[in-house]
Structures are given as C-alpha cells and as structure tokens.
C-alpha cells in the first residue's frame, strides 16, 4: 500500500478492519482460492446477512460488525471513518439448514434435501448442501427416511430440535461462566464484599441469557417454544411482585413496603438503569423487553447493513 | 461440475485472495473516540505518532486539541487482525457503474467476479478514550469477548 506520507487529501479505497480465525492463514498456504464472502439468509430475521464460506475446509463463518457512534481508525498513514471492526467466527450451519427445514415443514412431508434448501433470493444456499457430515448434523433436528435412488428424505422434527437447542443452551451457559459474563441485572450489597460473582448469579439468569443469544439464530416462534421447553419463567417485569408479598409477611414498615412495591412494578425500568450494568446491557434494557440478551448487544448498533463488503 | 447456475451465483460472491493473508505486512492501528468523516490518506506519522507519550495512567496524546488517553489492546487469542480492501476486476464490462454496494448488478447478464484482499495485518491496536482510557464496560471490549462465546454457541452438541 503506497499511501504517501504527505498525501493528506488523497482519496483512497475503503478499508475494512477484520478479525479472522488464525487457521485461515495456514490454510492459505495450501490453496489459492476458495474463501469467499456470500450472502445467505439470517435464520432469525429472514433477511440477508454476509457469511464467509471456506470451499476447501467446507466451513461457514458468520460476519458480525462492531459499530459504535463516534469512532474512526488510523490505519498506518490513513484515516478510516466509522471505526467498524468486523468479526468472522465459525457458525453452526445447522441453524441455516433449520431455517429451510422449518419452512418446508409447512408442506408436512418427507423431502430430499435439495428440495428443501431452495432459495431464489439467496441462491448461494446450495453451498450448504456440500457441507461434510451433513447427515450427522441433520439427525439432530429431523426425522429421516431412506428411500430409492440412494436419496434420503427428511422432515423437520420439533421435538428433536428442542432437545438439540437445549444442549446448545447448556454449552453456552458453560461459556458464559468461564468468560465471567455478568448475566444478572440485579446487584446485591453482598456483591461488594464477597467478590464472588459466579455464585451470585443464579442459574436461571444464565439460562435466560443463553436462550437470548441462541434466539438470534432461530425463528421467533421456535424461540418461544424453547423458552417453554426450558421452563423459563416469564421475564420479571410481567411477574406479580413476589417481593412485596414477602414484605407483607415480614411486617416491614409501611414506607418501605410502598417503596419496594414501586420498585417491583412500574419503576422497574428506571431501577434497572441505575443498577450496575455493562454498557451493552444498558442498551439492551432499552431495546429488549423480554429479558433476553441479544447478540447485537456485543456489537453496538444493529448490524443489518453488512452488505458493503 | 460447472453449470450455468454456478455462473449466476458467482455474481453474489466476493472472493478473498488467500495469498494476501500470508503476505500482509504489520500495520499500526488506532481506534479514536471521535468520528473523522473522511476516509483518506493522512499524515499520521507526522502529527499523531510522534506526539504519543507514556504516562502513569496510560498512553497520552492530543488530537484536534483534545486530550486522549489510551492503551494497547490485543486481538483475542486464535484470531488475526487484517486490513482488507476491495479490488475490482470487471469482466466484459468497461464502465464502473456496477458499484460494490449496488445490488442491481445481480441483474447484469455478464459474469462479474469480485475480489477482496488483505493489505496489512495486526495483532494489537491502540484504543483511545477522551481524557480517560475506555473502561472495562466499553463496548469494544465486550465485542472482543464475542469470539469465545460464539465458539460455544456454534460448537457441535454432544450425542446422547
């Protein structure tokens, strides 16, 4: 890149700042071609999203963009407006296959996969059919019938899918714990003394948080079913306040009781804002009323317009 | 296995030139807490870099008269940072009407390959905040924890 030291007014090509898995660099020694950006469906929203596909390793990566107001990059001797940071992280292709299986299930019959994964808007979806061990993946979410012509016939199974998603939630919960992600919006005074956050956060908080993360990869309907399957209670905001009942029993002074009641009903939003949350969680508290944690909270603004690559 | 379908799909693809991942020279990156509206060459090495000072509370510099504090932030383990640029290779087309953000080109009958390549690499960058180093709650720090969570979300589940 021959950007002149003093060329302060020279217009230059747009630069994208990316974080890629290290092993792609090693893979590049063995091949010259085969890594490409493609547009596929976002399995949650049904809109378009950019993915990176490795033809040789037959691997799918999703592209997420960190985007926050008022940032810019200095890259060597240049300035790049916007301060975007692109992430390419491995993606389980089963989320995408599931999008098509659920859609095809409306017809209610067993079908060969090449009739299921069909998309006029995102024709690159046929690349998904080339993935290795596709059958192994599919048995997590489908019933299948071996049929004539060595072709297998598949049908979406909600029961199996929910079981599979429950496992996904479990392994995400484990990662949330090892990464010390604060999943609780509540902060108790003991937190300041014990310093033991992991024991403070309830298992249920982790499950709800993980459920929210997974829900960014599945249709809304399935997300609701998963919530029931995991026996997640309704988010606290819509619960009758159990705390005020408790207070009645313990015979707290009237003033305090009133305060607590307020806290548990209409002032919950304000109370949440005031408690100790990360910036991402604050943003989320405004957007998401259902208590789930969306992946978007990791990346600032909603990254719908990734299509500039 | 080439078919006319493949050719049509090709238009939706942007190929990453793999050789550029190997050859990318290290770059120096700064993430500023302000939006510079232009994207162009800038004499960073003349005005910005020589003004950076070490201080007990992190790196210190000023930009447009405002005081900035910063620190080095590492790229998460297992990842490499790259600066990438679009290259345009137009096949059978003379004009540049088919801009990269133009979705209409999908209706173009001519095959058009698009390419992107790495121009530089990095393993860390300097994160700057206005008057103070961005704290642990800074969004960019949250985003950097994403790859490890994503790995868990997308890992294959164990068999029963």
């Amino acid at each position: 890149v021959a950007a002149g030291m003093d060329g302060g007014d020279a217009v230059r090509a747009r630069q994208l700042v990316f974080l890629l898995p290290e092993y792609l660099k090693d893979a590049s020694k063995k091949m010259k071609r085969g890594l490409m950006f493609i547009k596929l469906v976002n399995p949650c929203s049904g809109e378009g999203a950019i993915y990176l596909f490795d033809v040789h390793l037959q691997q799918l990566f999703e592209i997420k963009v960190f985007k926050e107001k008022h940032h810019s990059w200095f890259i060597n001797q240049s300035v790049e407006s916007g301060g975007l940071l692109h992430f390419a992280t491995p993606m389980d292709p089963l989320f995408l296959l599931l999008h098509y299986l659920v859609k095809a299930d409306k017809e209610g019959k067993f079908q060969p996969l090449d009739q299921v994964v069909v998309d006029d808007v995102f024709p690159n979806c046929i690349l998904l059919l080339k993935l290795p061990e596709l059958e192994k993946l599919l048995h997590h979410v489908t019933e299948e019938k071996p049929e004539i012509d060595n072709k297998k016939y598949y049908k979406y199974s909600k029961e199996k899918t929910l079981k599979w998603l429950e496992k996904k939630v479990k392994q995400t919960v484990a990662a949330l714990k090892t990464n010390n992600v604060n999943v609780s919006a509540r902060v108790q005074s003991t937190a300041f003394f014990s310093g033991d956050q992991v024991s403070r956060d309830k298992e249920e908080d982790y499950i709800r948080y993980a459920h929210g993360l997974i829900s960014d990869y599945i249709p809304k309907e399935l997300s609701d079913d998963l919530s029931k399957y995991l026996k997640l209670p309704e988010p606290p905001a819509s619960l009758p306040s159990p705390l005020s009942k408790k207070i009645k029993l313990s015979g707290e002074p009237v003033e305090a009781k009133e305060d607590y009641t307020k806290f548990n009903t209409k002032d919950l939003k304000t109370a949440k804002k005031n408690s100790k949350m990360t910036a991402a969680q604050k943003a989320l508290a405004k957007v998401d009323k259902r208590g789930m944690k969306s992946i978007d909270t990791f990346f600032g603004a909603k990254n719908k317009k990734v299509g500039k690559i | 296995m080439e078919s006319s379908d493949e050719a049509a799909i090709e238009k939706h693809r942007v190929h990453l030139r793999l050789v550029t991942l190997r050859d990318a020279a290290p770059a120096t990156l700064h993430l500023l807490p302000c939006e510079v509206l232009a994207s162009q060459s800038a004499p960073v090495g003349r005005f910005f870099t020589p003004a950076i000072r070490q201080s007990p509370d992190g790196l210190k510099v000023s930009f447009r008269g405002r005081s900035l504090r910063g620190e080095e932030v590492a790229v998460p383990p297992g990842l490499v940072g790259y600066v990438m640029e679009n290259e345009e290779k137009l096949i059978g087309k003379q004009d540049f009407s088919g801009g990269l953000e133009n979705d209409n080109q999908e209706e173009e009958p001519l095959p058009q390959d698009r390419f992107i390549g790495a121009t530089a690499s990095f393993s860390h960058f300097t994160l700057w905040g206005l008057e103070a180093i961005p704290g642990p709650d800074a969004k960019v720090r949250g985003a950097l924890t994403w790859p490890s969570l994503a790995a868990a979300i997308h890992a294959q589940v164990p068999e029963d």
Side-chain angles (χ1 to χ4, degrees):
Chain A
V1 187
M5 288 289 282
D6 294 316
D9 52 356
V11 178
R12 55 166 305 147
R14 193 161 168 258
Q15 299 179 98
L16 300 162
V17 180
F18 256 93
L19 297 184
L20 296 182
E22 210 165 18
Y23 56 81
L24 291 180
K25 187 179 175 181
D26 301 326
S28 73
K29 285 171 192 154
K30 288 167 211 138
M31 59 211 192
K32 278 187 176 167
R33 258 182 84 126
L35 206 54
M36 59 196 181
F37 292 96
I38 52 174
K39 208 175 199 178
L40 295 173
V41 72
N42 174 324
C44 174
S45 69
E47 289 167 20
I50 301 290
Y51 298 85
L52 184 62
F53 192 81
D54 187 327
V55 177
H56 295 281
L57 297 175
Q58 295 292 327
Q59 214 179 350
L60 185 70
F61 304 87
E62 71 170 327
I63 308 297
K64 292 269 175 202
V65 187
F66 166 76
K67 188 179 183 182
E68 195 180 16
K69 263 190 181 176
H70 311 306
H71 282 89
S72 312
W73 286 107
F74 276 162
I75 303 168
N76 286 338
Q77 303 307 314
S78 70
V79 60
E80 184 66 35
S81 200
L84 303 188
L85 180 55
H86 300 73
F87 290 77
T89 50
M91 164 108 180
D92 186 343
L94 199 44
F95 286 118
L96 280 170
L97 291 168
L98 198 57
H99 166 85
Y100 292 105
L101 287 161
V102 170
K103 231 165 93 180
D105 190 49
K106 309 251 147 69
E107 293 161 46
K109 57 180 185 195
F110 285 83
Q111 291 185 83
L113 206 58
D114 54 7
Q115 284 174 32
V116 172
V117 184
V118 176
D119 200 323
D120 293 338
V121 185
F122 307 108
N124 275 308
C125 70
I126 60 155
L127 287 169
L128 296 171
L129 301 176
K130 295 179 182 172
L131 290 166
E133 299 184 311
L134 202 58
E135 291 183 12
K136 227 175 129 190
L137 287 177
L138 283 168
H139 93 264
H140 287 298
V141 298
T142 60
E143 304 289 347
E144 60 184 72
K145 260 189 197 170
E147 294 270 335
I148 30 162
D149 307 338
N150 294 324
K151 232 177 192 177
K152 278 205 169 144
Y153 288 66
Y154 297 92
K155 189 179 184 301
Y156 167 65
S157 159
K158 191 164 130 184
E159 294 69 36
K160 290 177 94 175
T161 301
L162 287 172
K163 254 188 200 165
W164 172 70
L165 286 170
E166 187 186 26
K167 289 178 184 170
K168 284 275 179 192
V169 166
K170 265 188 195 155
Q171 61 194 34
T172 305
V173 164
L176 287 170
K177 286 178 181 172
T178 51
N179 285 289
N180 282 320
V181 176
N182 181 8
V183 296
S184 171
R186 291 182 296 275
V187 172
Q188 295 158 345
S189 58
T190 52
F192 295 99
F193 304 103
S194 73
D196 189 3
Q197 190 202 301
V198 176
S199 64
R200 203 185 77 238
D201 287 337
K202 278 162 53 192
E203 190 67 17
E204 185 193 301
D205 292 329
Y206 279 106
I207 295 170
R208 184 181 286 120
Y209 197 108
H211 170 259
L213 292 178
I214 302 277
S215 291
D216 273 9
Y217 295 100
I218 54 176
K220 166 85 172 63
E221 218 173 279
L222 192 53
S223 164
D224 293 343
D225 287 340
L226 179 61
S227 180
K228 280 177 210 141
Y229 187 77
L230 296 168
K231 298 188 181 69
L232 277 176
E234 289 291 302
S238 54
L239 274 180
S241 53
L243 191 52
S244 61
K245 270 185 208 160
K246 215 174 173 182
I247 290 156
K248 256 179 211 164
L249 287 173
S250 65
E252 286 275 336
V254 180
E255 283 167 48
K257 180 176 143 194
E258 277 179 354
D259 277 346
Y260 280 125
T261 315
K262 243 187 209 169
F263 179 87
N264 275 292
T265 54
K266 63 183 174 192
D267 281 353
L268 188 70
K269 263 186 193 167
T270 348
K272 259 190 178 174
K273 255 183 226 165
N274 294 336
S275 67
K276 211 176 177 185
M277 289 192 284
T278 66
Q281 284 172 318
K282 270 183 199 166
L284 178 88
K286 281 180 213 156
V287 182
D288 199 330
K289 292 167 188 123
R290 304 179 62 244
M292 308 187 314
K293 308 298 171 182
S294 158
I295 287 159
D296 286 331
T297 61
F298 288 86
F299 297 97
K302 270 211 164 187
N303 43 54
K304 263 185 196 166
K305 289 193 175 173
V306 196
K308 284 186 176 178
I309 286 163
Chain B
M1 293 291 278
E2 290 290 311
S3 69
S4 56
D5 273 333
E6 298 267 298
I9 289 156
E10 198 64 20
K11 287 188 292 176
H12 300 260
R13 298 173 177 179
V14 181
H15 299 271
L16 173 58
R17 282 197 200 282
L18 280 164
V19 64
T20 61
L21 296 185
R22 265 172 287 160
D23 301 343
T28 308
L29 276 82
H30 301 273
L31 186 56
L32 303 174
C34 60
E35 172 123 42
V36 181
L37 287 170
S39 295
Q40 59 186 32
S41 299
V44 177
R46 194 146 61 108
F47 295 105
F48 192 79
T49 320
I52 297 174
R53 300 273 177 269
Q54 280 282 3
S55 84
D57 33 344
L59 300 167
K60 240 172 126 171
V61 79
S62 72
F63 181 61
R64 293 176 175 170
R66 309 288 292 268
S67 159
L68 306 184
R69 290 285 158 87
E71 70 176 12
E72 294 280 298
V73 171
V75 167
L79 296 172
V80 183
Y82 286 105
V83 180
M84 306 223 259
E85 273 179 36
N86 282 302
E87 313 166 6
E88 269 183 283
K89 193 177 115 189
L90 300 173
I91 299 164
K93 269 188 93 181
Q94 301 234 309
D95 64 308
F96 285 81
S97 61
L100 289 171
E101 292 159 41
N102 186 354
D103 275 339
N104 292 336
Q105 63 186 293
E106 282 170 22
E107 274 122 55
E108 284 286 339
L110 294 166
Q112 185 181 356
D113 275 4
R114 290 189 284 161
F115 289 88
I116 192 168
T119 54
S121 67
F122 61 96
S123 59
H124 58 86
F125 62 90
T126 313
L127 175 65
W128 294 99
L130 186 62
E131 275 158 16
I133 296 172
D137 288 351
K139 277 200 174 177
V140 65
R141 296 192 199 273
L144 291 169
T145 66
W146 170 245
S148 56
L149 278 186
I153 293 169
H154 295 284
Q156 291 309 311
V157 304
E159 296 296 325
D160 283 320

